[in-house]
Amino acid sequence: MTTATHSAQAQYDLFRQRGLKLDMSRGKPAPEQLDLSNDLLDALPGFSAADGTDARNYGLGVGLPEARALFGGLLGLPAAQVVVDGSASLSLMHDVIVYALLNGVPGGQPWVGQQPVFLCPVPGYDRHFSICEARGIKMINVPLNDDGPDMDIVGQLVANDASIKGMWCVPKYSNPSGTVYSDEVVRRLAAMKTAAPDFRLMWDDAYGFHHLTAENVRIAEIVAECASAGNPDRAIVFASTSKVSWAGSGIAALASSPANIAWWTRHAGIRSIGPDKINQLRHVRLLKDVATVEALMTRHAALLKPKFDAVLAQFGAHLGDVAGVSWTVPKGGYFIDLVTPPGAAKKTIALAKEAGITLTPAGAAYPYGVDPEDSHIRIAPSFPSLPEITQAAEGIALALKLAVAG
């Protein structure tokens, strides 16, 4: 055993004796963040929507007018191009894929039988990949650069292969890297030539409101860019209040072109007589407008940023001189991407587990759970307390040092 290995083992063993028990496998809001929206319980002095609709009854499958207007303001789109339905945007994504498979999208035939393929910028969001894998859609990895997906690769692939029906995108503060798509990348995605006339961008704006700095990053609006480029139906945008209000009881939205909204409404109307409009009504009364949401998100950032700073400080202290190790410094979102030397991610996660720290499985940020270089670890600082996340970051760093030294 070398001196470096012996030192790394000794530091790790000492840390493990603390008996830590922390689960950091998902990016859950902390209780203190959920408490910021507890007024939801008192937000219903009545049940009438702005147009007189009784929110307790059936109907309005596209959502309450004021809920559509709220998301329209947040997404920069007319309320008529927004549907508010259910509590989870992931459910809307799943249903869009299923409807496309069974019925096709405007401008195309059902995807079933066509052996559809999706492009997946990596590292990316594991639940996107799970939808494709569960529904038999083949996935192709695309490198994610600092300004978004590698557009030279994307452009060549979609131009020459009509089986490529779509692409997953998390355009702002991507999970897990924190990447923000540049306006140039957004416009190239909107305008690129595709062999498939029914190609769709699954535009998951999950973290669009979740800033960690005062910068409040803005990017080009994809639906408008697609319309300007002559591809009005290309993008379907998804968003929710899952990490704005209550993660398990939020409201979710789908936004797109008029043709895509009509398509969604037709098929979704078969599975439901209408969404939970009571929940929509209380959210609208609590969140009110864009300015109120932004003020609430500033309070979220005040709780989250110290935790991110603590992780970054521990990584800097313990990993700053370790060759081949790097990490992202996001301006928003819920994650940090810790990059190890090739072949060290699984070992690091196993060592962290032995020290009482549960992380997202290695490979989760890649389709089929396979990271070709075994080098990415998703760090989720949000849920533990500040003292806990500080300890956890130290433990992860020591586990990585031992994995590299061993």
Side-chain angles (χ1 to χ4, degrees), residues 27-115:
K28 294 167 55 176
E32 295 79 12
Q33 292 176 259
L34 302 176
D35 286 345
L36 296 176
S37 295
N38 282 350
D39 285 347
L40 280 169
L41 293 173
D42 302 314
L44 278 181
F47 304 106
S48 293
D51 63 353
T53 296
D54 186 337
R56 298 170 298 180
N57 219 325
Y58 294 130
L60 284 184
V62 292
L64 293 178
E66 52 263 62
R68 299 175 76 187
L70 174 63
F71 270 108
L74 291 168
L75 298 173
L77 288 167
Q81 290 178 231
V82 179
V83 169
V84 183
D85 182 349
S87 62
S89 57
L90 188 67
S91 298
L92 304 184
M93 296 176 218
H94 173 270
D95 286 357
V96 165
I97 295 294
V98 171
Y99 296 159
L101 286 167
L102 297 178
N103 306 290
V105 298
Q109 298 298 313
W111 290 356
V112 166
Q114 297 190 52
Q115 297 182 318

Side-chain angles (χ1 to χ4, degrees), residues 27 36 39 55 75 78 100 102 114 195 266 275 326 331 357 366 374 394:
L36 296 176
D39 285 347
L75 298 173
L102 297 178
Q114 297 190 52
R266 183 169 65 255
S326 63
K331 294 182 178 181
I357 305 164
Y366 283 76
D374 183 27
E394 179 187 4

Side-chain angles (χ1 to χ4, degrees), residues 308-322 325-327 329 338 393-394 397 401:
F308 277 75
D309 289 345
V311 172
L312 298 173
Q314 290 296 322
F315 285 178
H318 295 283
L319 300 173
D321 60 351
V322 180
V325 174
S326 63
W327 52 90
V329 182
L338 176 60
E394 179 187 4
K401 286 181 72 172

Side-chain angles (χ1 to χ4, degrees), residues 288-325:
K288 294 183 177 64
D289 51 29
V290 174
T292 304
V293 172
E294 289 180 343
L296 175 59
M297 298 317 297
T298 298
R299 297 173 69 192
H300 277 271
L303 295 171
L304 282 170
K305 191 173 187 303
K307 297 181 181 182
F308 277 75
D309 289 345
V311 172
L312 298 173
Q314 290 296 322
F315 285 178
H318 295 283
L319 300 173
D321 60 351
V322 180
V325 174

Side-chain angles (χ1 to χ4, degrees), residues 23 26 30 43 79 90 99 104-105 114 152 188 197 209 237 258 262 285 299 315 341-342 377 401:
D23 188 341
R26 306 301 315 183
L90 188 67
Y99 296 159
V105 298
Q114 297 190 52
D152 291 337
R188 288 182 69 179
F209 326 131
V237 179
R285 288 176 176 171
R299 297 173 69 192
F315 285 178
I377 300 174
K401 286 181 72 172

Side-chain angles (χ1 to χ4, degrees), residues 10 34 46 105 132 144 164 199 281 360 366 372 396:
L34 302 176
V105 298
C132 283
L144 186 64
I164 298 177
F199 177 87
L281 192 58
T360 305
Y366 283 76
I396 294 165

